[in-house]
Amino acid sequence: MNKFSPSMVLGALAVAGMLSSAPAQAQDPIRIGGIYLMSGSAATYGEFAKQGATLAIDEVNAKGGVLGRQLHLQLEDGQGKAATAIQLARKMVYQDKVDFMMGLDSSGVAQGLVPVLPELGKPFIITHAATPDATGKLCNKYTFRDSVNVAQMMAGGAEIAAKTDAIKWTTIGPDYAFGHQSWEYFSDNLKAHNPKVVLMSDQLAFPRFGAEDYTPFINSVMQSKPDGVLISLWGGDLVNFVRQANERGFFKQGYKVFMNVGAATEVLTALGDQMPAGVWLGTRYWYASWDNPMNKHFVEAYKKAYNHPPSYNAEGAYTAIYAFKAGIEKAGSVDSEKFINALSGLTIQAPTGNLTFRKGDHQALIGPTWGLTSAMNTEDKIRSLTQIHNFDGAKVTPPVDPACKL
């Protein structure tokens, strides 16, 4: 009979314990925390993001996960408030032990949360909030964005607007960063294309976000008799505006109308044929304008799962999950520093084609889509778009902000 010393027995037990716990540890999920608008007039945006992210996670997990681990998504309602989003992000990191974060529907919320991310030490992919500040003057190495920002969106829209015969321009937009920055970038780009345009600075309309009555603002703009109008209202606000503007005959005045994010499918679905034909709509992703295998798969799978076409927020969330996957696999780890180094400068596949996270600021080099509303799409029950312009991200993205130091 072999003799074993107590130390040998204890050593064997320790090794056995490590071996038995290794599979359990390897199976711990990779935790992703999402902060979106899940309540209020813009709750559909959070729901679409949930659907897009869930679809991607189900696809990844069905194929074995990432590094042999399943992905787990934890969603929280940011309520469109920066203080709430900051509180939730801290809870996710310190209490729920998430590995990564994603989300944000509001530019104002992004401006509040982004400066806090270095304290939390976890990578965050913005999938919706469009303020250039998040990957500009407020940038940090933890913040990435896979969606179109205001500067990119307005560069495309202004290029089209400059080719119309509209000279006098005004705007109606929400009274916070997104509305004001949309007008600022649109104006600068429009002037660069056509120095003869007149920006009606005294006749601008900035109702508060969530306003219910837009009649005074509609009347004010109509009384100023512009040639062109940029509308950067979004979500439920845009739906309410269009309905009230129809009642006032706003769209029958001959204005060149450009709706910054009017081609969000949740807006088009809510409005149906109330969205007028002959207006220019912008979007960060248009499901029918990208001819590549990943987009074909995404649209088909999304429609099968949810019975409606995907919005840009769904696509942004879907793409973020695949960006996490690509970054983790390249890093070979969920370690924050290794992941950041891996994703910075990386090109991944997205429904919009190749998507690169620029090294200098972590902004995706991605362009907007603009199109002119036409007949109703009877299958999807929304307005179709004609004269579609898919802008090249490399051409509409401004240089890295000098204030951005990663």
Side-chain angles (χ1 to χ4, degrees), residues 178-220:
F178 182 66
H180 290 276
Q181 289 183 330
S182 292
W183 177 242
E184 174 189 346
Y185 280 92
F186 181 78
S187 298
D188 290 346
N189 279 281
L190 191 59
K191 271 287 189 182
H193 285 292
N194 182 4
K196 295 181 180 180
V197 298
V198 176
L199 305 173
M200 305 171 69
S201 58
D202 295 332
Q203 291 84 28
L204 308 180
F206 291 106
R208 66 174 177 82
F209 178 69
E212 296 181 356
D213 183 9
Y214 294 93
T215 303
F217 303 97
I218 295 169
N219 289 341
S220 175

Side-chain angles (χ1 to χ4, degrees), residues 76-209:
E76 301 280 1
D77 182 8
Q79 301 175 13
K81 301 175 182 177
T84 301
I86 292 170
Q87 183 180 27
L88 289 172
R90 286 181 172 143
K91 170 184 173 291
M92 286 178 169
V93 171
Y94 298 130
Q95 181 176 321
D96 303 322
K97 306 298 182 182
V98 300
D99 299 292
F100 306 98
M101 291 184 287
M102 60 186 287
L104 303 185
D105 295 302
S106 164
S107 290
V109 173
Q111 288 175 323
L113 178 60
V114 165
V116 180
L117 294 179
E119 167 200 325
L120 304 181
K122 297 295 181 182
F124 196 115
I125 297 181
I126 295 175
T127 66
H128 183 190
T131 175
D133 297 347
T135 47
K137 65 182 182 181
L138 299 178
C139 82
N140 58 68
K141 69 178 182 179
Y142 296 95
T143 304
F144 294 79
R145 177 161 39 206
D146 71 358
S147 60
V148 177
N149 67 30
V150 166
Q152 295 164 321
M153 177 66 72
M154 294 295 88
E159 182 177 323
I160 298 172
K163 296 176 182 177
T164 71
D165 58 2
I167 298 298
K168 296 191 301 179
W169 285 87
T170 187
T171 191
I172 302 177
D175 191 14
Y176 73 105
F178 182 66
H180 290 276
Q181 289 183 330
S182 292
W183 177 242
E184 174 189 346
Y185 280 92
F186 181 78
S187 298
D188 290 346
N189 279 281
L190 191 59
K191 271 287 189 182
H193 285 292
N194 182 4
K196 295 181 180 180
V197 298
V198 176
L199 305 173
M200 305 171 69
S201 58
D202 295 332
Q203 291 84 28
L204 308 180
F206 291 106
R208 66 174 177 82
F209 178 69

Side-chain angles (χ1 to χ4, degrees), residues 227-246:
D227 300 320
V229 185
L230 172 71
I231 299 170
S232 54
L233 300 171
W234 59 282
D237 288 5
L238 181 56
V239 172
N240 289 335
F241 167 82
V242 170
R243 288 172 176 165
Q244 294 171 30
N246 279 331

Side-chain angles (χ1 to χ4, degrees), residues 232-316:
S232 54
L233 300 171
W234 59 282
D237 288 5
L238 181 56
V239 172
N240 289 335
F241 167 82
V242 170
R243 288 172 176 165
Q244 294 171 30
N246 279 331
E247 294 174 357
R248 301 292 300 158
F250 179 88
F251 297 106
K252 297 180 179 179
Q253 304 303 309
Y255 311 140
K256 303 299 181 184
V257 176
F258 282 67
M259 298 188 189
N260 191 349
V261 284
T265 55
E266 50 267 57
V267 168
L268 293 173
T269 298
L271 286 171
D273 62 6
Q274 289 181 303
M275 173 61 80
V279 299
W280 284 97
L281 304 184
T283 181
R284 291 150 198 176
Y285 160 81
W286 183 244
Y287 69 101
S289 67
W290 297 98
D291 184 15
N292 62 66
M294 187 170 186
N295 189 55
K296 182 178 179 181
H297 163 77
F298 171 56
V299 174
E300 290 179 352
Y302 191 94
K303 284 187 176 183
K304 182 177 179 180
Y306 305 115
N307 200 34
H308 54 78
S311 73
Y312 65 74
N313 213 23
E315 186 273 338

Side-chain angles (χ1 to χ4, degrees), residues 17-27:
M18 287 190 292
L19 290 174
S20 64
S21 65
Q25 292 173 351
Q27 295 304 312

